[in-house]
Each structure stands twice: as C-alpha cells, then as structure tokens.
Amino acid sequence: DFENLPPEALVVILAERLDMLTGFFGIEEKPTGSKDPFALRRAALSVVRLLAQHKVRCDLTALCAAGLQGYEQGMFKADAQTIANEVANYCWGRLSVILKEQGIAYDIVDAVKPKENEVLTMDIPDSATRADALQQFLNTKEGAELKEAYKRAKNVLDKADGEVTTSVDNALFETEAEKMLDGELNSVRDTIGDMLAQENYAKVMEMLAQLHQPVATFFDEVMVMADDDNVRKNRLALLNMMVEEFDRVADFGKLSG
C-alpha cells in the first residue's frame, strides 16, 4: 500500500521498480507462464498500483525509455524503445488484473488500451477511469444495444466492396432515419471531442447514449445495401462515420458478447 508514503519515497520506489523491469527485460529475462524467478510480476503490479492509487499522470513508456539511457550502449540486443514498449505493455497486463479485481471485465480493459501507434501515451490512471466509465455505460440498456449496433455496423462495413469513406452527401438521403442519424452524429461530435479532451468520460458516455434511438431507427428502417450505387455508398459512409465516433472512445470491436 503506497497511500501514506511521501512523494519522495514514491519517486524512489517507481524508479527502482522500473529499473528492475527494464533491466531484466533488456537481457530477455521475462516472466514466462508460471515462472517468475525475479518477481517481475510483483514489480509491475507495484508500478501500476502506485500510478493508479496516486493518479500519477505520466508517459509510462517514455519513463522506461529514459531509464534505459543509464545503461551502457549496446548492452542489450533490442533498442531502448522496443524494451520500453515491452515493459509498458507488460504493466498494462497487470492493470488488467487490478481492474478485474475491481469488477471490470478483461474485454473492457482491452477496449480502452491505447492502440499500437499510441503506446507512447500509455496513461494508467486515465485508462482505469475510462474503463470504469465504459463498464457503467455498457451496463445500461442503451450501452448494451449500442454495442450490438456497433458490431452490426462493422460487419456490414467489413463485407462492403471497395473503399468506404466518411464523406456523406445529405442530398442522397431517402429516409428520415438517415437524416436523423446524420443530424445526431454531427450534433454530438464536437461535444464528444471536447469531453474526451477534458477526460470527462461520464459525459462522453451520455453523448453516445443519445445515438441509441437514431441508430436503432436506422437499422429498423433503412436498407443499407441499396440497389442504387450512390445511395448504398452514402449509407455505408454514414455507418462508417458512426463507427469512427465510437472508436474515438474505445475499441468496441474488442467487447465480447
């Protein structure tokens, strides 16, 4: 428990644990299966608990990379950035364990994990907060049904021929359901962006919930794969716009069920 420790002690503990992890990962002495002779799982858990408990906002991967600069050049086979990424991703796995203990499902943790090209912005407290907000949202009727709508939309898009854009032409709308979904997507887009920037994930989920009825109506009343080529492409673009809006919040494709 790191709750009552002074900041100086927390810095020393964090530095010691990360040095231990990066050093052993650097010489390719990583935990495998049930074998962990150097207690690296415990060290990683300590890092994650410390960061989460004290809401320390930091770039975990960059910290690992900086720590590796203290080692003699050429000491490790892999470069510093590769080792840092491995350690950060390993710590992410420990976060999954902690959040599971708090009742958050593994698939939800996977859904909020930074994408590979965002690994340098891995932020443990932010990810934990986002996972909690997403789980609460999915426990609602709107959240559960929107998750299914997302998967349905992705399935349609994956089977579509050719490139699908997000360029929507309002003049090609033939139903009120298309207009309603397009209007609601445009209505919530800026607010979702602002709330994500402010890390107000509860408000983000409220904005997603507003899409529930327009999305349901769209799937009930609109034949996406219309005979008219332009109409079909336009409807696919509208679906793609919806999917991209969800992807800004989390990777809904990783959610089970």
Side-chain angles (χ1 to χ4, degrees):
D1 189 353
F2 305 108
E3 188 172 349
N4 298 317
L5 294 176
E8 296 84 358
L10 295 174
V11 170
V12 171
I13 292 170
L14 182 61
E16 187 273 333
R17 298 292 194 278
L18 288 178
D19 180 65
M20 178 181 180
L21 287 162
T22 53
F24 277 109
F25 270 66
I27 61 173
E28 300 183 1
E29 288 288 351
K30 308 166 189 176
T32 55
S34 60
K35 296 181 179 180
D36 184 19
F38 304 108
L40 298 183
R41 288 191 185 90
R42 186 183 303 171
L45 276 170
S46 295
V47 169
V48 173
R49 289 189 192 279
L50 188 156
L51 295 176
Q53 193 172 66
H54 289 272
K55 300 188 184 302
V56 178
R57 307 301 303 276
C58 68
D59 183 336
L60 180 58
T61 318
L63 273 182
C64 294
L68 283 161
Q69 301 310 310
Y71 287 94
E72 183 179 342
Q73 190 171 6
M75 181 176 178
F76 306 126
K77 290 182 180 179
D79 60 84
Q81 193 59 64
T82 298
I83 297 168
N85 287 348
E86 287 183 347
V87 172
N89 277 295
Y90 185 72
C91 287
W92 181 272
R94 300 308 95 196
L95 175 64
S96 300
V97 173
I98 292 173
L99 293 179
K100 178 64 176 177
E101 292 172 353
Q102 297 173 3
I104 296 178
Y106 281 120
D107 61 327
I108 290 178
V109 181
D110 286 341
V112 301
K113 182 179 181 179
K115 297 178 177 64
E116 290 303 317
N117 61 340
E118 300 170 347
V119 70
L120 287 178
T121 61
M122 191 174 286
D123 183 326
I124 295 297
D126 176 70
S127 298
T129 302
R130 191 187 294 236
D132 181 64
L134 179 58
Q135 174 142 307
Q136 291 187 44
F137 174 63
L138 293 174
N139 285 336
T140 66
K141 178 178 182 291
E142 292 83 1
E145 292 184 1
L146 280 171
K147 179 184 73 172
E148 295 309 313
Y150 172 93
K151 292 188 175 184
R152 182 175 176 182
K154 280 287 288 182
N155 187 52
V156 171
L157 292 169
D158 289 343
K159 293 180 179 179
D161 293 328
E163 181 182 358
V164 179
T165 70
T166 54
S167 178
V168 175
D169 184 352
N170 295 11
L172 290 171
F173 290 158
E174 296 182 341
T175 66
E176 287 301 315
E178 291 167 273
K179 297 176 185 178
M180 182 168 63
L181 179 56
D182 179 65
E184 199 62 49
L185 282 169
N186 286 306
S187 174
V188 303
R189 181 183 291 113
D190 289 343
T191 303
I192 287 177
D194 291 342
M195 293 302 100
L196 284 172
Q198 297 173 29
E199 298 169 6
N200 186 346
Y201 300 124
K203 187 66 176 178
V204 168
M205 300 308 164
E206 283 183 27
M207 292 297 99
L208 288 183
Q210 289 185 26
L211 296 173
H212 174 251
Q213 191 55 54
V215 170
T217 302
F218 180 87
F219 277 122
D220 284 344
E221 300 181 4
V222 176
M223 176 65 71
V224 177
M225 306 307 285
D227 292 332
D228 186 288
D229 188 54
N230 290 326
V231 172
R232 180 174 65 256
K233 288 180 178 179
N234 202 54
R235 290 173 178 175
L236 287 169
L238 185 57
L239 276 186
N240 201 27
M241 189 164 71
M242 182 202 85
V243 164
E244 287 197 355
E245 205 58 43
F246 277 73
D247 284 342
R248 296 169 70 192
V249 179
D251 188 345
F252 277 69
K254 291 184 177 179
L255 298 173
S256 63

